[in-house]
Amino acid sequence: MTSTLSNGITRRTLLKTTAAAALFTAIKTTFPSGAFAATAGPEVTGVKLGYIALTDAAALVIAKEMGFFEKHGLPDVEVAKQASWGATRDNLVLGGAANGIDGAHILSPMPYLMHTGKVTQNNVPVRMAILARLNCDGQAISVGKEYADTGVQLDASKLKAAFAKKKADGGEVKVAMTFPGGTHDLWLRYWLAAGGIDPDKDVSTIVVPPPQMVANMKVGNMDAFCVGEPWNEQLVNQGIGFTAASTGEIWKGHPEKALGLRADWVEKNPNAAKALMMAVMEAQIWCESMDNKDEMAAIVGRRQWFNVPAKDIIGRLKGDINYGNGRVANGTDLQMKFWANGASYPFKSHDTWFIAENIRWGKFAPDTDIKALVDQVNREDIWRAAAADLGIAATDIPATTSRGTETFFDGKVFDPENPSAYLDSLSIKAAS
């Protein structure tokens, strides 16, 4: 017989992963009654959160569906679909009190771009805070099927001649991403530049919301795009194009989306912010289990969430990649990570790279004080406080806020202690 916890989650579900089992045991041992540490409860019972229909929003969806928000004293959390990253930004500017949102599943660089007023109306800064990373890996760069004969994969240079010919014949080469300066913009630019294609001169970079990528590729509005799942897998399943590379092949274990909130909400509601983080952590642990992937795909695929068939979600969620060009790789380690290997922790070194790369492409000035900016926005202290209250094992809590040096597929090395050296090593940069 399957017993049920007070929040409606079965013990069998909670104990599906070793990490979840260890967490449950630690909590039960420390607090036999099921209550957590005697700290002040949340100042509010809810928060308005936004999300885009992307697999990496799963932790917020699961936290809502499985009752984790309610479990931690936040029964009134709203998780509202946003039409685009631009809409996410605009609703964050409004704030929850003005019929907008207080936080969101968000591209990791966006809180920095908003905090500095780089992407807001009239360049008015909106102070932001990053509480966690929602996932690592799980994005891809896909290309129209007309380029299949080039054999392009990680080496984007195989597209150079084809793109040049299209332009010479009077056509326009369009590559799409989801938000200027966002993660997809940066992965696409890095991949093109590594192949000798200047993303500012050799192609036209356009903005398309994630759920509209496949439809736009189908009618020929673009030649390539970078987006998160399930849209790359759906493109392949519909026979419209193919995946050249998973972003995990560009940078193994790269950071992707974040849990970002308005700083004023966090400062006004510190206990609620910690409770929110605890709920999201539990959801991330649940999402990490391979045993839960089928159920996760079914839940997030529902009409009220993504409105996407589970078959377009499940393959790459498990690390099984049909690239769509005759290349099939099953059981890879390129699946999206929600908790394993520190995927949830908001490493400051990762944020340092995002800012450095946006300096490369002209979004931030070359003299930007990267460390000071990261320290203003990154609230890893809230993550650590939530982990402590949850009883997360010490082995799952990073000892430092830095991952150290990172190496990319083309051999470039990023040292977060010396970002200028990394920038100096890059041959293609922002158009002057």
Side-chain angles (χ1 to χ4, degrees), residues 288-303:
E288 186 64 37
S289 171
M290 196 61 73
D291 291 341
N292 295 331
K293 301 300 185 187
D294 289 300
E295 186 177 357
M296 188 200 320
I299 291 172
V300 301
R302 291 173 185 165
R303 181 180 296 275

Side-chain angles (χ1 to χ4, degrees), residues 186-222:
L186 300 183
W187 308 138
L188 185 63
R189 286 172 173 274
Y190 193 99
W191 178 70
L192 289 170
I197 299 171
D198 192 321
D200 288 324
K201 298 177 180 178
D202 299 331
V203 299
S204 296
T205 304
I206 62 174
V207 178
V208 175
Q212 297 177 26
M213 286 290 190
V214 176
N216 275 274
M217 182 75 90
K218 187 174 184 178
V219 298
N221 285 347
M222 63 183 77

Side-chain angles (χ1 to χ4, degrees), residues 112-128:
Y112 289 97
L113 294 166
M114 293 181 64
H115 188 83
T116 54
K118 301 296 183 184
V119 296
T120 53
Q121 188 172 10
N122 299 321
N123 301 119
V124 176
V126 175
R127 292 192 308 114
M128 294 293 296

Side-chain angles (χ1 to χ4, degrees), residues 35-174:
F36 287 102
T39 57
E43 298 84 358
V44 292
T45 59
V47 57
K48 296 179 180 179
L49 303 176
Y51 79 97
I52 296 285
L54 288 161
T55 307
D56 42 39
L60 299 189
V61 175
I62 294 302
K64 182 68 175 178
E65 288 279 346
M66 293 292 188
F68 291 132
F69 291 133
E70 184 175 3
K71 174 181 177 181
H72 292 287
L74 299 171
D76 301 318
V77 170
E78 296 178 34
V79 182
K81 185 181 292 185
Q82 307 296 296
S84 65
W85 293 118
T88 299
R89 171 203 57 203
D90 294 343
N91 283 322
L92 281 168
V93 170
L94 284 173
N99 206 32
I101 56 178
D102 303 299
H105 150 252
I106 198 166
L107 299 162
S108 284
M110 276 185 69
Y112 289 97
L113 294 166
M114 293 181 64
H115 188 83
T116 54
K118 301 296 183 184
V119 296
T120 53
Q121 188 172 10
N122 299 321
N123 301 119
V124 176
V126 175
R127 292 192 308 114
M128 294 293 296
I130 287 177
L131 272 60
R133 205 74 61 198
L134 289 178
N135 73 294
C136 291
D137 292 336
Q139 322 297 298
I141 296 171
S142 290
V143 182
K145 61 183 178 181
E146 66 184 285
Y147 297 101
D149 289 344
T150 66
V152 64
Q153 295 182 18
L154 261 179
D155 182 6
S157 69
K158 293 185 177 181
L159 288 173
K160 196 167 186 177
F163 282 178
K165 184 179 186 304
K166 185 170 185 176
K167 290 181 69 175
D169 292 343
E172 184 180 9
V173 178
K174 295 181 181 180

